[in-house]
Amino acid sequence: MMVSWAMVSAAVAGCVLLLVHLVLMVACAPLARGLLAAGMARAGGAERVPVLGRWRLILSCARRHGVRAAGGAEIVPGAALAVALAACVLVPSFALGLPGGGLSDLLTVSGLLVLARLLPLLAALEPGGARAGLAAAGDVTALAAMQAVFPLAVAAAVMASGHGGIDALLVRLRDPDMGGGRVSAMLLALALLLAGPDVGPGDDVRAADMMVDLGGRGRAAMELARDLVLMGWITLAGDLAWPGGLAVPQADALLPPAISLPGAVAAWLARTGVICAGIVAARVVVMGSARGTRGRLVLALLFATLAVVVLFADQEVA
C-alpha cells in the first residue's frame, strides 16, 4: 500500500505542531506558576514577587552541581519530568488532531499528572530526612483526599462523549446542540482545578521542604516537573471550559488550517491567564485558611457530582 506525499507532509506538519505545542507548554509552565505567586503576593499585601522568578530559579539550579541523591531517589527527578512532559503532550493546548491525539484519554492524562506529583514524594522519603519526610507525609494525605473526584470526572466524560478520549470529548462539546453538556464541562473544569493543582495554602512550603535535599539539575528537573503538572491541569480545565478556542481540522483534513493557529494560540494564552487569575481569587476566598484542603475537596466533589447530575438530567430530557 503506497503512502501519498500529502499524508507524509501532513504527518511531518503534525509532528512540527506537536513540538511547538510542547515547547509552548514548557515555556509557559514556570510563567503560570510565577503569575500565581505574583498574584497571591499582591492580594496578600506581601513583597512583590517577579513573574520570571520561577524561570530564574530553574535555570540557576540547572547551572549548579548538586549532591547526587541516594539510592532510588537519584532517578526520581528525571522520571517525574518525563512523566509530566508525557502528560503535557497529551493535553491539547491550541489545536486538536495532532499526532497522539488518540492516546489523549482523560483517565490516562489524570493518572500521569497524579504520578508526576507522587514521584517527588518518593525522593523526599528515600533519604530519611525528617523535614522532607514530614512534608511528604502531609502532601500524601492531601493528594489522596483529592483523588476522590477523578472517578466522577471520568464518568462525566464517558457520559458526554461515549468514551474518555479528550479530543473526542472536546469535539463533542463544540456541537451547538450539546445542551447541558457544556454546563457539565464547566463544572468538571472547576472540579479538576480544585482537585488537581498544588495551589493551596502550605503547598509551596511543603514542596520546598520535600526538595531540601536536592540540588543542581535534579532540583531543576523537579521544579520544572511541578510547574508542568500545574500547566497540565490548567490547560485541561481550560479546554473543557472553552473548547471553542481550539483549532480543529476541517472535513476530510488531518490538521487544522494554518490560518486558525495564531488565534488558537492567543486563545490558549488568554484562557490560561484568566484561569490563573481565578485561582488567585479562589485562593484568597476559599483556600485562605488552614481548612483549605478540606474545603477544596468538598467543592471539587460537589462540582464533579453536579457535572454527572446535569448529564443525567440532559439525557432524561432527550
Side-chain angles (χ1 to χ4, degrees):
M1 182 176 179
M2 295 185 63
V3 180
S4 65
W5 283 108
M7 294 179 62
V8 173
S9 61
V12 172
C15 291
V16 171
L17 286 179
L18 186 63
L19 180 61
V20 171
H21 154 77
L22 184 58
V23 169
L24 287 175
M25 292 285 280
V26 172
C28 292
L31 293 179
R33 179 82 64 179
L35 280 173
L36 291 178
M40 291 172 187
R42 184 178 181 87
E47 184 179 353
R48 183 177 178 181
V49 176
V51 175
L52 295 176
R54 288 293 299 176
W55 260 124
R56 293 171 184 167
L57 172 64
I58 293 171
L59 293 177
S60 175
C61 291
R63 295 190 190 102
R64 292 198 292 263
H65 296 284
V67 179
R68 292 172 67 102
E74 180 182 347
I75 65 173
V76 169
L81 181 58
V83 171
L85 286 171
C88 288
V89 167
L90 297 178
V91 177
S93 58
F94 60 88
L96 299 177
L98 300 183
L103 302 174
S104 184
D105 184 86
L106 185 60
L107 183 59
T108 301
V109 171
S110 298
L112 288 172
L113 290 173
V114 171
L115 179 59
R117 188 172 172 186
L118 281 174
L119 284 172
L121 306 184
L122 301 178
L125 293 172
E126 181 76 17
R131 182 177 173 186
L134 288 174
D139 211 39
V140 166
T141 303
L143 185 58
M146 290 300 175
Q147 305 321 304
V149 72
F150 295 135
L152 289 172
V154 174
V158 172
M159 290 178 62
S161 62
H163 53 82
I166 295 178
D167 279 22
L169 175 61
L170 296 178
V171 170
R172 183 78 177 89
L173 290 174
R174 293 170 61 93
D175 191 338
D177 300 328
M178 191 58 185
R182 293 185 178 179
V183 178
S184 178
M186 289 287 293
L187 293 170
L188 185 57
L190 290 172
L192 292 178
L193 281 176
L194 286 168
D198 56 337
V199 292
D203 284 342
D204 289 334
V205 175
R206 281 198 299 268
D209 287 344
M210 284 190 293
M211 291 183 280
V212 69
D213 296 318
L214 285 175
R217 294 179 181 178
R219 177 67 178 268
M222 200 75 87
E223 295 281 4
L224 183 56
R226 181 170 176 251
D227 293 346
L228 286 171
V229 170
L230 172 65
M231 195 66 196
W233 286 120
I234 289 177
T235 303
L236 181 58
D239 290 340
L240 294 170
W242 184 27
L246 292 161
V248 297
Q250 296 177 344
D252 300 327
L254 297 177
L255 296 173
I259 194 172
S260 66
L261 295 177
V265 173
W268 169 59
L269 294 175
R271 70 172 181 257
T272 299
V274 170
I275 289 175
C276 287
I279 291 176
V280 171
R283 171 71 179 271
V284 174
V285 176
V286 179
M287 298 178 283
S289 67
R291 298 179 180 179
T293 300
R294 188 181 303 174
R296 287 172 66 188
L297 175 60
V298 172
L299 286 176
L301 286 173
L302 174 63
F303 286 134
T305 304
L306 286 176
V308 176
V309 170
V310 168
L311 284 174
F312 264 122
D314 191 56
Q315 290 180 2
E316 289 293 332
V317 172

